Amino acid sequence: MDDLLTPGFLIQLILALGVVTSLLFYLVGYYGAWHFFAEAQRTGQPRRDDASLPTVTILKPLKGLDVDLYENLSTFCRQDYPTFQIIFGVADANDPAVQVVRQLQAHYPSVRIDLIVDGRIYGTNYKVSNLHNMYRVAKYDVVVIADSDIRVRSDYLRRLVTPLDDPQVGLVTTLYRAVNTGGLPTLVESLFINTDFSPMVLVARIVEKPTYAFGATMALRRSTLDAIGGFLPLANYLADDYHLGHRVAERGYRLALSDVVVETVLAVGGWRRLFDHQLRWARTYRNCRPGGYFASLLTHGTLWATLNLLYNHCSPLACLAAAAVYAVRISVARTIATRYLQAPLRWSEAFMVPLKDLFVSCVWALCFAGDTVHWSGHEFRVLRGGQMVRVSPPTPVAVVAPYRTSDERDQAASI
C-alpha cells in the first residue's frame, strides 16, 4: 500500500488521468459536433412566410477599422429578410468607422441604417455603453447583437430568429468559425477558435444546460431584454455576453444554439496582441466559471501526453500514448473544423494544433498570476464576481455628438 502513495506513483497516476480524460474529451467533442449538425440537418428549417417573421433590429457597436470592415458590415445589409433595421454605434464622431457606415447608407438605400454617435459612458465596459446608446432608437420586436468582425450569409436572420418561435426560448446564440487573413499569430488565434472553442461548446451542450451566450451573435426579444433591465446592468462586467445570457436563463428561459455558424474575420497582428487576447479570454472564463476553468486542464491532452513522454524518458509505452493523443487530437480537430464548421483546415495547419495547445496551456497557468486584462487599448482589473475597474489612466470625458438616424436623413433630404 505504501508503494501506491509514493510521489512517483502519484505523478504517474495524474499523468495517466490527464491522458485518458483528454482522449475522452476529444471523442465526446467529435460526437457533439456530429450530433448537433446531424440534428440540424434532419430537422431543417422550412421556408417561412414573410408575414410570420418578427421585425428585427440589429445592433452593431463599432470602434476603428477592423480588417474587411465594409464587407463584414455589408453582409448584414444583404439579408433576405422582410423588415429589419441596422443600428451602428460609435463613441466618437471622428472614428473612421463612421465613413464606412456612410458608404453603407449610400450603397444600400433600401435598408434602414441608423448611425448613432454618442460618447456617453455608463461603466467600464465601453461596448455596453455603446449598445445602450444605440438601443434607445431600436424600432423592432427582436434585438440581434453582433460584433463588428462578424460576417454572415443572406439567410442569417431567417435561421437565427426561428428558435424564438418557442416561447420558452429566451435567447439564441451561435457558433462561429475564424477566417485567417494572414500571419502566424492570426493562424494561432483561428486554430484556437476552430479547434478549441467550438468543440468545448458542443461538449458543454451535452453535459449541462446552457446558461450563457457568445458575443459573436445574440438574439432575444425586446421584451426579454427590457425585463432584465436592458444593457445598463452589464455596464461594468467584462463578460457582458456571458452575463446577458445568464440573466436571461435566471428568468427561467431556455438558451438555444442556432444551427447558423457565423464567421469572425481575424487580423491579430503581433504576438503580444495574441497573448493579451488569449489571457483576457482565459481570465474571463476563470472569473465566470472558476470550477470549470480549473477542471478544463484535464482536457489539455497535448500537455499531458508531452509531460508523460518526458517523465517516462520516451519509453515505448509513453511514446505509444503520446502518438495516440496527438493523432486523435489532430484528426478530430481537423474533422470538426473542416466538415462541421466549414472552416477548411489544411494538414500543414492541423499539425500545428499540438503546438498551439501547448501555448494555450501556458496561458492557462499564467491566468492565475494576476487579475488584469488589456482590452481595446485600456487596462482593467477584474474583480471577484466579474466586474472590472480601470487601471490605465482615464480617458477624458467625451463630448456627446449629435446622432443621425434614417428618419433625420429623410427629413434633411426633403428640405
Side-chain angles (χ1 to χ4, degrees):
M1 182 65 179
D2 290 340
D3 293 340
L4 298 180
L5 298 178
T6 62
F9 176 80
L10 292 177
I11 291 173
Q12 188 61 69
L13 182 62
I14 293 171
L15 293 173
L17 178 64
V19 167
V20 173
T21 303
S22 58
L23 276 173
L24 289 174
F25 173 77
Y26 297 150
L27 295 175
V28 173
Y30 174 80
Y31 170 78
W34 170 82
H35 182 267
F36 175 74
F37 287 100
E39 183 179 35
Q41 186 176 22
R42 183 172 60 254
T43 57
Q45 291 195 0
R47 179 81 178 188
R48 294 176 57 181
D49 180 69
D50 286 357
S52 68
L53 291 168
T55 55
V56 173
T57 291
I58 304 172
L59 303 181
K60 299 283 289 186
L62 305 177
K63 182 181 179 182
L65 292 177
D66 293 333
V67 63
D68 294 340
L69 180 62
Y70 178 85
E71 180 56 30
N72 295 342
L73 301 184
S74 67
T75 62
F76 287 82
C77 301
R78 298 194 293 265
Q79 288 300 297
D80 174 22
Y81 202 82
T83 306
F84 67 99
Q85 166 196 25
I86 308 176
I87 306 176
F88 297 106
V90 295
D92 184 355
N94 296 317
D95 193 306
V98 169
Q99 295 301 322
V100 176
V101 175
R102 288 175 176 162
Q103 291 176 24
L104 292 170
Q105 289 174 329
H107 293 170
Y108 298 96
S110 63
V111 178
R112 182 185 178 102
I113 300 175
D114 296 331
L115 172 63
I116 303 302
V117 182
D118 194 335
R120 284 178 290 185
I121 295 172
Y122 306 93
T124 47
N125 188 321
Y126 302 143
K127 173 187 171 183
V128 171
S129 294
N130 198 353
L131 287 170
H132 176 75
N133 293 333
M134 286 187 282
Y135 186 52
R136 64 182 181 173
V137 296
K139 299 291 185 183
Y140 296 134
D141 299 331
V142 171
V143 176
V144 172
I145 306 154
D147 287 341
S148 59
D149 60 355
I150 297 301
R151 186 178 296 177
V152 297
R153 299 189 342 180
S154 61
D155 62 349
Y156 162 78
L157 281 182
R158 284 184 178 270
R159 295 168 63 187
L160 181 66
V161 302
T162 296
L164 291 174
D165 290 343
D166 183 348
Q168 297 302 314
V169 173
L171 183 146
V172 184
T173 192
T174 68
L175 295 173
Y176 51 96
R177 56 177 170 263
V179 177
N180 176 15
T181 60
L184 191 55
T186 303
L187 173 60
V188 173
E189 181 91 339
S190 67
L191 288 176
F192 170 78
I193 292 172
N194 295 335
T195 69
D196 286 0
F197 174 75
S198 292
M200 185 163 47
V201 171
L202 294 168
V203 170
R205 185 173 173 269
I206 294 173
V207 302
E208 66 179 0
K209 178 182 178 182
T211 59
Y212 43 87
F214 313 119
T217 284
M218 298 178 287
L220 70 168
R221 301 177 195 88
R222 186 169 183 163
S223 59
T224 304
L225 181 56
D226 291 341
I228 64 172
F231 292 108
L232 284 184
L234 311 173
N236 289 307
Y237 283 93
L238 172 62
D240 53 277
D241 50 355
Y242 173 89
H243 288 283
L244 177 62
H246 193 64
R247 286 171 181 265
V248 172
E250 282 183 329
R251 298 190 70 87
Y253 289 107
R254 182 166 61 85
L255 274 56
L257 184 64
S258 171
D259 65 346
V260 174
V261 179
V262 302
E263 293 183 342
T264 176
V265 182
L266 301 181
V268 173
W271 289 101
R272 179 55 190 264
R273 187 178 175 190
L274 170 67
F275 175 77
D276 286 345
H277 188 209
Q278 286 292 313
L279 188 62
R280 174 164 62 90
W281 186 91
R283 286 180 174 162
T284 301
Y285 183 10
R286 188 195 75 184
N287 191 277
C288 293
R289 299 168 63 84
Y293 182 78
F294 188 81
S296 69
L297 183 62
L298 288 174
T299 68
H300 291 210
T302 300
L303 173 68
W304 295 113
T306 303
L307 291 176
N308 186 58
L309 199 63
L310 295 174
Y311 182 75
N312 289 285
H313 307 290
C314 297
S315 69
L317 187 58
C319 288
L320 182 62
V325 171
Y326 298 156
V328 171
R329 173 59 171 144
I330 291 170
S331 59
V332 168
R334 186 172 185 272
T335 300
I336 291 177
T338 303
R339 180 183 300 173
Y340 296 114
L341 296 180
Q342 300 298 306
L345 193 63
R346 297 189 297 268
W347 280 111
S348 58
E349 296 170 335
F351 281 116
M352 289 188 62
V353 169
L355 294 176
K356 181 272 305 169
D357 288 349
L358 294 177
F359 169 73
V360 170
S361 295
C362 291
V363 172
W364 183 94
L366 290 171
C367 177
F368 294 96
D371 57 4
T372 60
V373 296
H374 293 268
W375 188 12
S376 192
H378 305 290
E379 186 177 12
F380 302 91
R381 186 172 76 254
V382 186
L383 307 177
R384 185 180 298 273
Q387 297 195 53
M388 57 184 182
V389 295
R390 278 190 65 111
V391 175
S392 54
T395 303
V397 177
V399 176
V400 178
Y403 64 87
R404 192 165 179 82
T405 68
S406 295
D407 290 339
E408 292 173 323
R409 292 200 317 274
D410 294 342
Q411 292 171 7
S414 64
I415 297 175

